Amino acid sequence: CWKTYLGRPETDWYRCASLTALGNSLGSNRRTEEALAVLEANLALRRRYWVARYDRSTIFIIQGNIASCLDDLGRHDEALVLKRSVYTGHVSTLGVSHESTIGNGLNLAISLGRAGLRDEAMEFLRDQLLPPAQRSLGADHDVTLLLYHSLAVILADNPDRARDDLLEAETIMQDVVTRRRRVFGPAHPNTLRAQRFLCRLQKELSGA
């Protein structure tokens, strides 16, 4: 239990690990403000005592969890800054083609779209994320398909979209749904989500 170790000195690794367990537990139980405070304390401890001993990926994971908490609390600008930092850190340590780098890039692209930075999000997806995803993960990989799905969402949800944007989004999602059905099956949650979005696009196009 995490309570066993919280009384130990700050330099004790098990104290640090207990903070990780506590922060994750609070977050999964939607006690977001408390989770954020614990995660920030955990990050400070790791930077102070453990960063030389453990690889930076642990720091990135904690920062990503903090960004998620900030998003949940409506502090989107702060979350976006942190997600940019996490992605840059992944690029510098793992390279652009690593699955973790691409996955964190996907999180960043989604946040850019939600922040209204759609042009930046689309350029980021097309130029920096999709080419390495296609090369290293393949066209049928779940993360690659999520990238395409996100690109289609940004195209379709743009208030200034043209009909051509909807048509491009529809073409993208037709391919995504076909691949998901073949690779993951028609009952997979991500297949069903993609199918619902494709149906929405087709309805909008038929009424446009």
Side-chain angles (χ1 to χ4, degrees):
C1 176
W2 57 267
K3 293 180 181 179
T4 306
Y5 304 104
L6 281 183
R8 295 194 177 193
E10 285 190 346
T11 52
D12 189 294
W13 184 87
Y14 290 101
R15 174 189 172 92
C16 204
S18 71
L19 285 173
T20 300
L22 176 59
N24 292 340
S25 175
L26 290 169
S28 31
N29 284 284
R30 300 187 181 278
R31 295 168 62 179
T32 310
E33 290 188 3
E34 296 169 88
L36 178 60
V38 171
L39 289 169
E40 288 176 334
N42 189 14
L43 180 61
L45 276 180
R46 288 184 181 272
R47 281 176 166 165
R48 189 177 307 142
Y49 299 115
W50 307 107
V51 71
R53 183 176 171 186
Y54 296 96
D55 67 307
R56 291 178 62 192
S57 62
T58 304
I59 299 292
F60 297 148
I61 291 170
I62 298 171
Q63 288 177 315
N65 290 338
I66 290 173
S68 296
C69 287
L70 292 170
D71 267 333
D72 289 343
L73 293 170
R75 295 162 60 179
H76 303 300
D77 290 344
E78 295 172 73
L80 184 56
V81 170
L82 195 51
K83 287 179 182 180
R84 287 186 192 272
S85 174
V86 170
Y87 174 74
T88 301
H90 274 82
V91 170
S92 66
T93 56
L94 299 174
V96 296
S97 297
H98 194 282
E99 183 177 345
S100 292
T101 303
I102 297 169
N104 278 276
L106 171 61
N107 291 336
L108 174 55
I110 292 170
S111 290
L112 288 169
R114 288 174 177 167
L117 302 172
R118 295 178 185 86
D119 289 343
E120 182 182 353
M122 285 192 289
E123 182 179 352
F124 184 48
L125 282 162
R126 292 187 198 273
D127 298 343
Q128 297 185 50
L129 296 180
L130 281 165
Q134 291 274 15
R135 289 193 307 268
S136 64
L137 303 179
D140 292 336
H141 194 281
D142 184 52
V143 173
T144 305
L145 294 173
L146 287 172
L147 290 171
Y148 276 112
H149 191 143
S150 296
L151 177 59
V153 168
I154 292 168
L155 284 165
D157 289 350
N158 184 355
D160 300 321
R161 72 188 181 198
R163 182 175 176 83
D164 285 347
D165 294 324
L166 281 178
L167 288 170
E168 182 182 358
E170 181 191 31
T171 300
I172 290 170
M173 290 310 300
Q174 285 173 335
D175 183 63
V176 168
V177 169
T178 298
R179 291 179 184 277
R180 284 205 173 279
R181 283 180 171 274
R182 174 169 50 80
V183 177
F184 299 97
H188 190 278
N190 284 344
T191 304
L192 295 173
R193 188 164 67 96
Q195 182 66 61
R196 286 194 298 270
F197 184 53
L198 175 59
C199 289
R200 185 197 118 185
L201 291 171
Q202 291 170 335
K203 287 180 182 178
E204 290 184 23
L205 281 165
S206 65

